[in-house]
Amino acid sequence: MERHNSCINTRAIIDYVERHYGSPHLLLRGLEEELGDVDDPLAFLRDSHNWVSAGVVTRMYANARELTGDPRVAYQIGFESVTHQRLGYIQQILLRAWGSPKVAVRRLETINQKFNRTKDLELVSATSDQGLVRLHWHEGLDLTEDFCLVNQGIYSAIPTIWGLPPSRVEETACYFEGDEYCEYRVRWRNPTLVQRVRMLIQNQRSLLGESLAEIEHDKQLLEHKYSEVQTLNQQLMRKIEQILTIQQASAAILSELDYGKLIPNVLSMFLKTIGYKRAMIMLVDGVNQKLRYEAGVGMDPSDLAPMDGYSVSIDRTSNLLARVAQSGQPLITQDAASLNLNPKNLIIRKYQPQAIVILPLTAQGGVIGILAADRPQGSATVTGADRDYLEVFANQVALAIENARMYRDLKESFLSTVKSLAQALEAKDSYTRGHSERVTTYAVRLATRLKMAEKEVDMLKRLGMLHDVGKIAIDRQILNKPSQLSSEDRELVRQHPSWGQSIIQPLKLSQAEISIVRHHHERWDGLGYPDGLSGEGIPLPARVISVADSFDAMTSDRPYRNAMGLRDALAELERGSGNQFDPQVAEAFVALVREGFLDDVLPRVRPASRLRHLVLAKP
């Protein structure tokens, strides 16, 4: 079957008919030849990892028109594919992670390239509230006006992702009525900055949850396949055992979200599974159309040095690695010499492989890289009969890599959101500009000094920027008041930790993370706010932020006073040790300053290294 459309498109048709008209089996009429080898056609057409020809989609649209009696049903299918979130988790993430319909429209080409091969999309123009889009349909495909209508429905529904009214889509040219292309003018109401920030905050954790749910769904599909294999005869037992081994290994792989650790773990697991000596992963560089070496295992690290920076053009079909990436077909051979490989090639010249396995890594309908293994000698054998379980393993690896990439991207997006909120706060108060960044830097270095767990250090790195975010709710005149605050003003300011917690609540953070915002004004002696916690009842990350925050407040100019000198600030920390501050935390911070480890961060004071002779003795 030709592969023009991801089954995300056919799933949208099936779900629409099932939602409004009951059984969708009539959608399969006329598809017996193309889907005859598929055990469960509806399940196949619902699986977003599958691809089908344009003819299959055309027939399903025609069946939907006949079933519903609606000549424009394709428009409704496209519209509800967005409003009922049937685009698939990758597209949901792409759309929901963008800040506005304008940005989404600018990225439509990205979605088009990833999820269908029937057209090229041209964004002619885009402003804050409208865009002009052209669809250049590929010649020679079995296409109808339904493809035009479904795209109009999708473009109309995009603003609803942000809770906005649907956009107005005006068709100014139509390929299916004799024009060179389809052209739409799309008008929408642009969301406010507050709406965009709120949507970004609400979506960070939910997006990760959606991606993990999709992976869990794939694992369930694999488990179903395993149960079917177990019904085979004794000759297939070896294959069943291998598949079960891979399932167990894959569960461990898929639980790893650290991109730097994931690939070496994958390769080590792969070598253990097939009994080969060396393995590597190369990933597709879509911008430069190259396969680039990512990591390898099975040799001394110095032996892998020549591979650093190694790449090969994907269109170089004389190269085995590029051929597998381009075709999506695995290559297994026990006699590499029979392939007439180029003896000048770096891998052939340096490593002289005898037997080779090269597997495509496929995710969301496209090859994202290759996994290759070889043995220079020995008797371990991988044959064509092992292809199924190798492909299962490769698919799990690809999903794990995509998941890790997604997690990394979401984490970066979250950090960007944190910085935006901190900048929004400090824009209200010129006297505290840079305060959040300095406090975060102090806290991270202090946590490292205290040998806190890596998870807690990372938590401070991410949440330290938001410790004062609740001050967004306080009037600028109070924040910038040049005189001492009144009792009413002070009471208002004391509410900012609680308000901060309310602001970050949609992020669905852990209690430890929330404590950094809520409890950074608690005191060791229990006289702090908002909850009057004391001693070790205050979470350690909050105690660290408390010291860092107080020190930066003392050494920064404020509307009602000038910055305190470094010597006086250190003396205040030492005086507050055991009553306001955790003694161990305060002592460690003072040591950091005195030893010069914060010289590059200290604001408008002489570096500690130059003052060391003044402050080594306690004042």
Side-chain angles (χ1 to χ4, degrees), residues 107 197 200 368 373 380 406 445 458 528 543 568 589:
R107 302 298 193 279
V197 170
L200 285 171
I368 66 169
M406 196 183 318
R445 294 186 189 178
D458 184 63
R543 284 179 262 156
D568 291 338
F589 187 83

Side-chain angles (χ1 to χ4, degrees), residues 37-75:
D37 295 331
V38 178
D39 292 334
D40 187 343
L42 283 177
F44 178 86
L45 294 169
R46 273 193 168 111
D47 188 345
S48 60
H49 297 107
N50 296 326
W51 283 65
V52 294
S53 68
V56 168
V57 182
T58 297
R59 168 54 61 184
M60 292 183 71
Y61 282 138
N63 289 340
R65 276 190 275 109
E66 182 178 349
L67 178 64
T68 64
D70 181 0
R72 289 177 55 83
V73 69
Y75 176 95

